[in-house]
Amino acid sequence: MPASRRQFLIRTAGLLLATTGARAAPGNPAPIRIGLTPVILDDQSRFLRRWRDWLERQFTREVQFVQRPRYRDITELLLRHELDAAWVCGYPYIAHAEQLRLLAVPVYRGEPRYHSLIIRTQQHKSIKNIDDLAGTSFAFSDPDSNSGYLYPMYRLREALTRQPDFFRRTFFTWGHRNTIEAVAAGLADAGAVDSYVWETLQRRHPEYAEQAVVVERSPAFGFPPLVTHVDTPPPIHQRLAEVLLSMHEDSEGRALLEQLALDRFEAGQPDQYAGIHRMLKELRQRGLVTAA
């Protein structure tokens, strides 16, 4: 088995549920619990320890990062009040807009926006855009991902309505990096990924760009936001917002943002996600997606 395929399978099989941080000692305030899906960093554990320590100094209170490999797991924890905040995709934020409240939106390369990218293997030169994908194997990142599922489904809505077996085969990789690696390794002919992950991984591991090609770029969407539940106590929401929105003003905070390849966080507005709302509404009417 080629090394790239073997590495992809090992990474996918190795996804584990993990919680960073310890339980609060009796008599201490309950920890602030922040939910995360997998991020792009190569040394994720070390980064999260540094970010947790920095946040604890800001709050003078314990902080726990709760990690899950699937978007829906984090959304459900937040909806069940088992998290105080979470970094989610715009799709579940819109799908549960009545229960979630914007906390902070990352600013990436000067804008709080990103794109969905359709990528293909170098070998499939006949795939020039998403309309050329009929009969191919396609990797989706996560069923609750805007860039990794909702957008390509919307883009192909007419074809999928007429031809439910449009693709020869589809599968979920449970991560944008996993999708990139699946396409690069030839496990899929093409896939849909987050432009932020693609561009960050391209800088850190340019070998992937040599094995996969971007054939289509979506319109801009609001960057995946940090949110709280509408029932999160206002003092926690407010303090979380204050800390995140001023993170770039602190030297260590800036260093952490640089590791994430982000400029800063800003407050954000719900209308930044209007495009996702329109796509979700139409796809629900067509019966092509269910609620995130």
Side-chain angles (χ1 to χ4, degrees):
M1 179 184 294
S4 56
R5 293 192 181 206
R6 183 168 59 251
Q7 290 167 359
F8 168 75
L9 293 171
I10 290 171
R11 181 186 300 278
T12 303
L15 283 173
L16 298 175
L17 303 185
T19 300
T20 302
R23 292 182 179 275
N28 289 344
I32 294 175
R33 301 155 301 175
I34 302 173
L36 299 174
T37 51
V39 294
I40 187 65
L41 298 165
D42 292 324
D43 190 356
Q44 181 171 301
S45 297
R46 183 182 177 193
F47 171 81
L48 291 180
R49 285 196 299 271
R50 287 182 56 210
W51 196 12
R52 180 199 64 199
D53 292 346
W54 183 83
L55 287 170
E56 288 182 339
R57 289 195 294 275
Q58 313 308 309
F59 288 109
T60 62
R61 181 173 174 179
E62 185 181 354
V63 172
Q64 292 181 357
F65 284 124
V66 178
Q67 295 176 265
R68 297 292 186 268
R70 302 186 182 192
Y71 290 14
R72 188 163 301 189
D73 295 336
I74 287 297
T75 302
E76 290 177 351
L77 287 173
L78 186 59
L79 294 176
R80 294 201 304 263
H81 307 284
E82 295 180 35
L83 297 172
D84 298 297
W87 198 340
V88 300
C89 179
Y91 177 10
Y93 165 61
I94 287 298
H96 302 282
E98 294 183 358
Q99 296 169 277
L100 301 178
R101 177 170 45 177
L102 277 182
L103 176 65
V105 177
V107 176
Y108 172 61
R109 294 186 171 182
E111 293 187 325
R113 301 187 181 280
Y114 79 120
H115 304 263
S116 172
L117 303 179
I118 306 302
I119 63 174
R120 63 155 173 86
T121 62
Q122 285 280 9
Q123 292 74 22
H124 283 75
K125 300 185 185 300
S126 61
I127 301 174
K128 302 186 185 306
N129 58 53
I130 197 171
D131 296 313
D132 297 327
L133 293 173
T136 65
S137 62
F138 193 84
F140 292 106
S141 295
D142 187 288
D144 293 346
S145 167
N146 171 53
S147 59
Y149 184 68
L150 191 71
Y151 171 76
M153 291 292 288
Y154 179 79
R155 178 69 173 76
L156 289 168
R157 63 195 183 281
E158 300 294 346
L160 292 171
T161 300
R162 295 191 307 268
Q163 186 181 349
D165 58 349
F166 177 84
F167 292 109
R168 183 178 81 253
R169 180 174 72 99
T170 63
F171 62 95
F172 291 105
T173 67
W174 308 108
H176 292 285
R177 179 170 182 161
N178 293 337
T179 297
I180 294 168
E181 292 183 350
V183 173
L187 297 175
D189 299 324
V193 299
D194 178 318
S195 63
Y196 160 73
V197 177
W198 169 263
E199 291 160 4
T200 303
L201 196 63
Q202 191 176 35
R203 289 194 300 273
R204 297 177 182 177
H205 298 279
E207 64 271 20
Y208 291 120
E210 298 171 1
Q211 301 172 68
V213 178
V214 175
V215 296
E216 186 163 311
R217 183 180 181 91
S218 76
F221 298 111
F223 205 99
L226 281 91
V227 299
T228 61
H229 194 283
V230 293
D231 294 333
T232 295
I236 292 179
H237 177 95
Q238 182 176 347
R239 183 57 183 149
L240 274 167
E242 290 171 352
V243 168
L244 291 171
L245 298 184
S246 63
M247 190 171 172
H248 63 288
E249 299 171 0
D250 175 87
S251 59
E252 188 173 352
R254 281 197 304 275
L256 291 165
L257 287 168
E258 286 172 5
Q259 275 199 266
L260 289 170
L262 298 176
D263 302 336
R264 58 188 173 85
F265 291 102
E266 67 177 30
Q269 297 296 328
D271 62 8
Q272 289 173 255
Y273 303 90
I276 297 175
H277 181 268
R278 286 193 295 271
M279 291 191 302
L280 178 56
K281 182 178 180 181
E282 180 168 347
L283 289 175
R284 278 177 168 170
Q285 290 173 344
R286 290 173 177 260
L288 292 175
V289 301
T290 57

